[in-house]
Amino acid sequence: SVIVPVHNSECWLEECLKSVWEQDFKGTMELSVFNDASKDSSAEIIEKWKIKLEDAGVPVIIGRNDSSQPRGVGFAKNQAVIQSSGTYLCFLDSDDVMMPQRVRLQHEAAIQHPNSIIGCQVRREPLESTERYTRWINNLTEEQLLTQVVFTSHGPTVIMPTWFCSREWFFHVGKFDEGGKGIPEDLLFFYKHIQKGGEVFRVNHCLLLYRYHPQAATHSVLEGTIWNHRVRFLEVRVLNSWTSFTIWNAGKQGKKLYRSLSPANRKKVTAFCDVDEKKITKGFYTYEESEERPKPKIPVCHFRDATPPFIICVKLDLTGGAFETNLNTLNLKEGMDYYHFN
């Protein structure tokens, strides 16, 4: 079942549904669309493609929310899944376009990896938008798909518009959050997926044209909301089992992470480390907002003098390779000696 939530998508819907029609998959396939209170001509475009797709042997199920207000992406996706019947679910955003081999290749991978969310590489449209993000999506190694799984600001390493999984596993994890606008429903689903022992796998082919535009639902989620979810998840998955650690970055991001931690995890921070001589010379960071007396003072040292494990709050791919080179000189293992949280 190809799962397409729709809300005012007339600009992109033609191309999106045409890409379903152009799939080279030889098995049985259906399209499940849920139209969430669209006010534009989305409904007419869906009806037109229903005729074409059904002529080509692809049944189309259409659900709709006819009220004046949309219920949100999580609700629309859940409804599209509930009304569908395929053994596997292929998620497709109404503003994206699949390559003809997407369903075939991801279906093959899903059979091999039954408890996984299967992703793929993407091409960004327009090409020059979010270059670092696109590089990150496409170049993560198999190990990094797990070690960077939800701790970096980009969210899941296998991004939502590329998701493909079995229906059985989807319901085992338990549907999307339906809180509506501002809820990162895919991130929350992904957390549950990982907590239930789910895995991630990426088909190393570019199978999706992934559009970037101001109307995208992603833009309605507040950065602070995602930050809080990420910090809690980092604590549960990593920090609660560590006895001590160093925060790599004595600047804004490192201090922000420190202040966001639970009191128990703040006590485990033995030092901040950095390369900035000014910060290192100052010698320590005082946590002024603390209720404790005396206020906690955390040492600041050079990264070479610091003790792993590290939580690294330095943005990747921004220092002309200087940070990456520094990290490599320490011969550490990602997922054991350090995690990226940036």
PDB file of all heavy atoms in Angstrom, residues 159-182:
ATOM      1  N   ILE A 159      14.996   9.202   6.819  1.00  0.00           N
ATOM      2  CA  ILE A 159      14.027  10.290   6.914  1.00  0.00           C
ATOM      3  C   ILE A 159      12.630   9.838   6.463  1.00  0.00           C
ATOM      4  O   ILE A 159      12.474   9.012   5.581  1.00  0.00           O
ATOM      5  CB  ILE A 159      14.498  11.531   6.109  1.00  0.00           C
ATOM      6  CG1 ILE A 159      14.670  11.184   4.639  1.00  0.00           C
ATOM      7  CG2 ILE A 159      15.792  12.092   6.682  1.00  0.00           C
ATOM      8  CD1 ILE A 159      14.756  12.383   3.752  1.00  0.00           C
ATOM      9  N   MET A 160      11.613  10.434   7.098  1.00  0.00           N
ATOM     10  CA  MET A 160      10.229   9.991   6.931  1.00  0.00           C
ATOM     11  C   MET A 160       9.747   9.827   5.489  1.00  0.00           C
ATOM     12  O   MET A 160       9.114   8.826   5.173  1.00  0.00           O
ATOM     13  CB  MET A 160       9.302  10.971   7.677  1.00  0.00           C
ATOM     14  CG  MET A 160       7.823  10.759   7.420  1.00  0.00           C
ATOM     15  SD  MET A 160       7.247   9.162   8.015  1.00  0.00           S
ATOM     16  CE  MET A 160       5.993   8.771   6.825  1.00  0.00           C
ATOM     17  N   PRO A 161      10.030  10.788   4.598  1.00  0.00           N
ATOM     18  CA  PRO A 161       9.465  10.612   3.241  1.00  0.00           C
ATOM     19  C   PRO A 161       9.996   9.380   2.512  1.00  0.00           C
ATOM     20  O   PRO A 161       9.496   9.027   1.461  1.00  0.00           O
ATOM     21  CB  PRO A 161       9.884  11.889   2.500  1.00  0.00           C
ATOM     22  CG  PRO A 161      10.233  12.861   3.566  1.00  0.00           C
ATOM     23  CD  PRO A 161      10.752  12.056   4.729  1.00  0.00           C
ATOM     24  N   THR A 162      11.005   8.696   3.086  1.00  0.00           N
ATOM     25  CA  THR A 162      11.549   7.501   2.418  1.00  0.00           C
ATOM     26  C   THR A 162      11.132   6.207   3.130  1.00  0.00           C
ATOM     27  O   THR A 162      11.576   5.134   2.768  1.00  0.00           O
ATOM     28  CB  THR A 162      13.097   7.544   2.376  1.00  0.00           C
ATOM     29  OG1 THR A 162      13.625   7.330   3.702  1.00  0.00           O
ATOM     30  CG2 THR A 162      13.625   8.852   1.827  1.00  0.00           C
ATOM     31  N   TRP A 163      10.266   6.292   4.144  1.00  0.00           N
ATOM     32  CA  TRP A 163       9.964   5.112   4.957  1.00  0.00           C
ATOM     33  C   TRP A 163       9.182   4.044   4.208  1.00  0.00           C
ATOM     34  O   TRP A 163       8.252   4.342   3.453  1.00  0.00           O
ATOM     35  CB  TRP A 163       9.165   5.493   6.205  1.00  0.00           C
ATOM     36  CG  TRP A 163       9.979   6.180   7.256  1.00  0.00           C
ATOM     37  CD1 TRP A 163      11.270   6.617   7.151  1.00  0.00           C
ATOM     38  CD2 TRP A 163       9.540   6.542   8.574  1.00  0.00           C
ATOM     39  NE1 TRP A 163      11.661   7.222   8.323  1.00  0.00           N
ATOM     40  CE2 TRP A 163      10.622   7.196   9.212  1.00  0.00           C
ATOM     41  CE3 TRP A 163       8.342   6.392   9.267  1.00  0.00           C
ATOM     42  CZ2 TRP A 163      10.535   7.682  10.517  1.00  0.00           C
ATOM     43  CZ3 TRP A 163       8.249   6.881  10.568  1.00  0.00           C
ATOM     44  CH2 TRP A 163       9.339   7.513  11.188  1.00  0.00           C
ATOM     45  N   PHE A 164       9.547   2.800   4.499  1.00  0.00           N
ATOM     46  CA  PHE A 164       8.883   1.626   3.937  1.00  0.00           C
ATOM     47  C   PHE A 164       8.979   0.558   5.026  1.00  0.00           C
ATOM     48  O   PHE A 164      10.065   0.312   5.545  1.00  0.00           O
ATOM     49  CB  PHE A 164       9.637   1.173   2.679  1.00  0.00           C
ATOM     50  CG  PHE A 164       8.930   0.141   1.831  1.00  0.00           C
ATOM     51  CD1 PHE A 164       8.405   0.490   0.594  1.00  0.00           C
ATOM     52  CD2 PHE A 164       8.803  -1.184   2.263  1.00  0.00           C
ATOM     53  CE1 PHE A 164       7.763  -0.457  -0.214  1.00  0.00           C
ATOM     54  CE2 PHE A 164       8.164  -2.135   1.476  1.00  0.00           C
ATOM     55  CZ  PHE A 164       7.639  -1.771   0.236  1.00  0.00           C
ATOM     56  N   CYS A 165       7.865  -0.043   5.427  1.00  0.00           N
ATOM     57  CA  CYS A 165       7.931  -1.076   6.475  1.00  0.00           C
ATOM     58  C   CYS A 165       6.746  -2.022   6.364  1.00  0.00           C
ATOM     59  O   CYS A 165       5.813  -1.757   5.602  1.00  0.00           O
ATOM     60  CB  CYS A 165       7.968  -0.448   7.871  1.00  0.00           C
ATOM     61  SG  CYS A 165       6.450   0.426   8.328  1.00  0.00           S
ATOM     62  N   SER A 166       6.763  -3.092   7.142  1.00  0.00           N
ATOM     63  CA  SER A 166       5.632  -4.013   7.089  1.00  0.00           C
ATOM     64  C   SER A 166       4.481  -3.447   7.924  1.00  0.00           C
ATOM     65  O   SER A 166       4.706  -2.742   8.906  1.00  0.00           O
ATOM     66  CB  SER A 166       6.024  -5.391   7.612  1.00  0.00           C
ATOM     67  OG  SER A 166       6.074  -5.393   9.027  1.00  0.00           O
ATOM     68  N   ARG A 167       3.263  -3.770   7.526  1.00  0.00           N
ATOM     69  CA  ARG A 167       2.067  -3.337   8.263  1.00  0.00           C
ATOM     70  C   ARG A 167       2.120  -3.893   9.692  1.00  0.00           C
ATOM     71  O   ARG A 167       1.820  -3.194  10.655  1.00  0.00           O
ATOM     72  CB  ARG A 167       0.814  -3.860   7.556  1.00  0.00           C
ATOM     73  CG  ARG A 167      -0.484  -3.688   8.353  1.00  0.00           C
ATOM     74  CD  ARG A 167      -1.669  -4.261   7.604  1.00  0.00           C
ATOM     75  NE  ARG A 167      -1.817  -3.543   6.342  1.00  0.00           N
ATOM     76  CZ  ARG A 167      -2.479  -2.392   6.214  1.00  0.00           C
ATOM     77  NH1 ARG A 167      -3.071  -1.843   7.250  1.00  0.00           N
ATOM     78  NH2 ARG A 167      -2.548  -1.796   5.045  1.00  0.00           N
ATOM     79  N   GLU A 168       2.529  -5.152   9.801  1.00  0.00           N
ATOM     80  CA  GLU A 168       2.585  -5.801  11.115  1.00  0.00           C
ATOM     81  C   GLU A 168       3.500  -5.024  12.056  1.00  0.00           C
ATOM     82  O   GLU A 168       3.157  -4.768  13.207  1.00  0.00           O
ATOM     83  CB  GLU A 168       3.105  -7.235  10.924  1.00  0.00           C
ATOM     84  CG  GLU A 168       2.965  -8.102  12.149  1.00  0.00           C
ATOM     85  CD  GLU A 168       3.618  -9.483  11.948  1.00  0.00           C
ATOM     86  OE1 GLU A 168       3.859  -9.896  10.798  1.00  0.00           O
ATOM     87  OE2 GLU A 168       3.889 -10.117  12.973  1.00  0.00           O
ATOM     88  N   TRP A 169       4.682  -4.621  11.539  1.00  0.00           N
ATOM     89  CA  TRP A 169       5.621  -3.880  12.385  1.00  0.00           C
ATOM     90  C   TRP A 169       5.075  -2.496  12.724  1.00  0.00           C
ATOM     91  O   TRP A 169       5.194  -2.029  13.862  1.00  0.00           O
ATOM     92  CB  TRP A 169       7.001  -3.774  11.714  1.00  0.00           C
ATOM     93  CG  TRP A 169       7.967  -3.078  12.632  1.00  0.00           C
ATOM     94  CD1 TRP A 169       8.405  -1.793  12.549  1.00  0.00           C
ATOM     95  CD2 TRP A 169       8.555  -3.623  13.825  1.00  0.00           C
ATOM     96  NE1 TRP A 169       9.245  -1.488  13.602  1.00  0.00           N
ATOM     97  CE2 TRP A 169       9.351  -2.603  14.404  1.00  0.00           C
ATOM     98  CE3 TRP A 169       8.493  -4.862  14.452  1.00  0.00           C
ATOM     99  CZ2 TRP A 169      10.078  -2.783  15.576  1.00  0.00           C
ATOM    100  CZ3 TRP A 169       9.225  -5.043  15.625  1.00  0.00           C
ATOM    101  CH2 TRP A 169       9.989  -4.013  16.178  1.00  0.00           C
ATOM    102  N   PHE A 170       4.434  -1.845  11.767  1.00  0.00           N
ATOM    103  CA  PHE A 170       3.858  -0.511  12.000  1.00  0.00           C
ATOM    104  C   PHE A 170       2.892  -0.559  13.184  1.00  0.00           C
ATOM    105  O   PHE A 170       2.957   0.263  14.096  1.00  0.00           O
ATOM    106  CB  PHE A 170       3.139  -0.018  10.740  1.00  0.00           C
ATOM    107  CG  PHE A 170       2.464   1.320  10.912  1.00  0.00           C
ATOM    108  CD1 PHE A 170       3.185   2.498  10.780  1.00  0.00           C
ATOM    109  CD2 PHE A 170       1.110   1.404  11.236  1.00  0.00           C
ATOM    110  CE1 PHE A 170       2.574   3.741  10.954  1.00  0.00           C
ATOM    111  CE2 PHE A 170       0.484   2.640  11.416  1.00  0.00           C
ATOM    112  CZ  PHE A 170       1.219   3.807  11.269  1.00  0.00           C
ATOM    113  N   PHE A 171       1.997  -1.550  13.194  1.00  0.00           N
ATOM    114  CA  PHE A 171       1.014  -1.632  14.286  1.00  0.00           C
ATOM    115  C   PHE A 171       1.651  -2.136  15.584  1.00  0.00           C
ATOM    116  O   PHE A 171       1.169  -1.827  16.669  1.00  0.00           O
ATOM    117  CB  PHE A 171      -0.199  -2.465  13.872  1.00  0.00           C
ATOM    118  CG  PHE A 171      -1.138  -1.670  12.998  1.00  0.00           C
ATOM    119  CD1 PHE A 171      -1.257  -1.944  11.639  1.00  0.00           C
ATOM    120  CD2 PHE A 171      -1.876  -0.609  13.521  1.00  0.00           C
ATOM    121  CE1 PHE A 171      -2.106  -1.190  10.830  1.00  0.00           C
ATOM    122  CE2 PHE A 171      -2.727   0.153  12.720  1.00  0.00           C
ATOM    123  CZ  PHE A 171      -2.847  -0.142  11.375  1.00  0.00           C
ATOM    124  N   HIS A 172       2.743  -2.869  15.479  1.00  0.00           N
ATOM    125  CA  HIS A 172       3.491  -3.268  16.671  1.00  0.00           C
ATOM    126  C   HIS A 172       4.063  -2.019  17.361  1.00  0.00           C
ATOM    127  O   HIS A 172       4.027  -1.892  18.580  1.00  0.00           O
ATOM    128  CB  HIS A 172       4.622  -4.242  16.289  1.00  0.00           C
ATOM    129  CG  HIS A 172       5.521  -4.571  17.430  1.00  0.00           C
ATOM    130  ND1 HIS A 172       5.121  -5.332  18.504  1.00  0.00           N
ATOM    131  CD2 HIS A 172       6.821  -4.225  17.678  1.00  0.00           C
ATOM    132  CE1 HIS A 172       6.128  -5.440  19.373  1.00  0.00           C
ATOM    133  NE2 HIS A 172       7.165  -4.780  18.891  1.00  0.00           N
ATOM    134  N   VAL A 173       4.562  -1.080  16.562  1.00  0.00           N
ATOM    135  CA  VAL A 173       5.095   0.178  17.125  1.00  0.00           C
ATOM    136  C   VAL A 173       3.934   1.033  17.636  1.00  0.00           C
ATOM    137  O   VAL A 173       4.003   1.637  18.700  1.00  0.00           O
ATOM    138  CB  VAL A 173       5.935   0.955  16.077  1.00  0.00           C
ATOM    139  CG1 VAL A 173       6.362   2.323  16.629  1.00  0.00           C
ATOM    140  CG2 VAL A 173       7.158   0.148  15.681  1.00  0.00           C
ATOM    141  N   GLY A 174       2.846   1.088  16.852  1.00  0.00           N
ATOM    142  CA  GLY A 174       1.634   1.738  17.353  1.00  0.00           C
ATOM    143  C   GLY A 174       1.267   3.095  16.793  1.00  0.00           C
ATOM    144  O   GLY A 174       0.997   4.005  17.557  1.00  0.00           O
ATOM    145  N   LYS A 175       1.252   3.262  15.499  1.00  0.00           N
ATOM    146  CA  LYS A 175       0.673   4.463  14.848  1.00  0.00           C
ATOM    147  C   LYS A 175       1.383   5.792  15.188  1.00  0.00           C
ATOM    148  O   LYS A 175       2.233   5.859  16.074  1.00  0.00           O
ATOM    149  CB  LYS A 175      -0.824   4.589  15.144  1.00  0.00           C
ATOM    150  CG  LYS A 175      -1.629   3.364  14.729  1.00  0.00           C
ATOM    151  CD  LYS A 175      -3.104   3.673  14.552  1.00  0.00           C
ATOM    152  CE  LYS A 175      -3.786   4.021  15.842  1.00  0.00           C
ATOM    153  NZ  LYS A 175      -5.235   4.160  15.696  1.00  0.00           N
ATOM    154  N   PHE A 176       0.979   6.839  14.458  1.00  0.00           N
ATOM    155  CA  PHE A 176       1.568   8.170  14.633  1.00  0.00           C
ATOM    156  C   PHE A 176       0.804   8.968  15.688  1.00  0.00           C
ATOM    157  O   PHE A 176      -0.402   8.786  15.850  1.00  0.00           O
ATOM    158  CB  PHE A 176       1.525   8.945  13.309  1.00  0.00           C
ATOM    159  CG  PHE A 176       2.454   8.401  12.264  1.00  0.00           C
ATOM    160  CD1 PHE A 176       1.962   7.665  11.193  1.00  0.00           C
ATOM    161  CD2 PHE A 176       3.828   8.619  12.339  1.00  0.00           C
ATOM    162  CE1 PHE A 176       2.812   7.158  10.219  1.00  0.00           C
ATOM    163  CE2 PHE A 176       4.684   8.116  11.368  1.00  0.00           C
ATOM    164  CZ  PHE A 176       4.177   7.382  10.316  1.00  0.00           C
ATOM    165  N   ASP A 177       1.520   9.877  16.348  1.00  0.00           N
ATOM    166  CA  ASP A 177       0.889  10.811  17.276  1.00  0.00           C
ATOM    167  C   ASP A 177      -0.049  11.717  16.489  1.00  0.00           C
ATOM    168  O   ASP A 177       0.309  12.232  15.426  1.00  0.00           O
ATOM    169  CB  ASP A 177       1.997  11.649  17.948  1.00  0.00           C
ATOM    170  CG  ASP A 177       1.455  12.547  19.049  1.00  0.00           C
ATOM    171  OD1 ASP A 177       0.648  13.437  18.741  1.00  0.00           O
ATOM    172  OD2 ASP A 177       1.856  12.355  20.207  1.00  0.00           O
ATOM    173  N   GLU A 178      -1.264  11.938  16.999  1.00  0.00           N
ATOM    174  CA  GLU A 178      -2.253  12.742  16.270  1.00  0.00           C
ATOM    175  C   GLU A 178      -2.451  14.122  16.892  1.00  0.00           C
ATOM    176  O   GLU A 178      -3.501  14.738  16.751  1.00  0.00           O
ATOM    177  CB  GLU A 178      -3.583  11.969  16.188  1.00  0.00           C
ATOM    178  CG  GLU A 178      -3.439  10.690  15.374  1.00  0.00           C
ATOM    179  CD  GLU A 178      -4.765   9.976  15.101  1.00  0.00           C
ATOM    180  OE1 GLU A 178      -5.811  10.438  15.610  1.00  0.00           O
ATOM    181  OE2 GLU A 178      -4.738   8.968  14.357  1.00  0.00           O
ATOM    182  N   GLY A 179      -1.432  14.609  17.588  1.00  0.00           N
ATOM    183  CA  GLY A 179      -1.525  15.915  18.243  1.00  0.00           C
ATOM    184  C   GLY A 179      -1.678  17.085  17.286  1.00  0.00           C
ATOM    185  O   GLY A 179      -1.990  18.194  17.695  1.00  0.00           O
ATOM    186  N   GLY A 180      -1.433  16.854  15.988  1.00  0.00           N
ATOM    187  CA  GLY A 180      -1.651  17.923  15.003  1.00  0.00           C
ATOM    188  C   GLY A 180      -0.461  18.832  14.829  1.00  0.00           C
ATOM    189  O   GLY A 180       0.685  18.456  15.070  1.00  0.00           O
ATOM    190  N   LYS A 181      -0.741  20.073  14.431  1.00  0.00           N
ATOM    191  CA  LYS A 181       0.301  21.022  14.049  1.00  0.00           C
ATOM    192  C   LYS A 181       1.347  21.203  15.151  1.00  0.00           C
ATOM    193  O   LYS A 181       1.013  21.366  16.317  1.00  0.00           O
ATOM    194  CB  LYS A 181      -0.350  22.367  13.728  1.00  0.00           C
ATOM    195  CG  LYS A 181       0.553  23.272  12.934  1.00  0.00           C
ATOM    196  CD  LYS A 181      -0.175  24.505  12.414  1.00  0.00           C
ATOM    197  CE  LYS A 181       0.799  25.371  11.650  1.00  0.00           C
ATOM    198  NZ  LYS A 181       0.209  26.572  11.105  1.00  0.00           N
ATOM    199  N   GLY A 182       2.609  21.190  14.742  1.00  0.00           N
ATOM    200  CA  GLY A 182       3.683  21.434  15.710  1.00  0.00           C
ATOM    201  C   GLY A 182       4.210  20.178  16.392  1.00  0.00           C
ATOM    202  O   GLY A 182       5.149  20.234  17.169  1.00  0.00           O
TER     203      GLY A 182
END
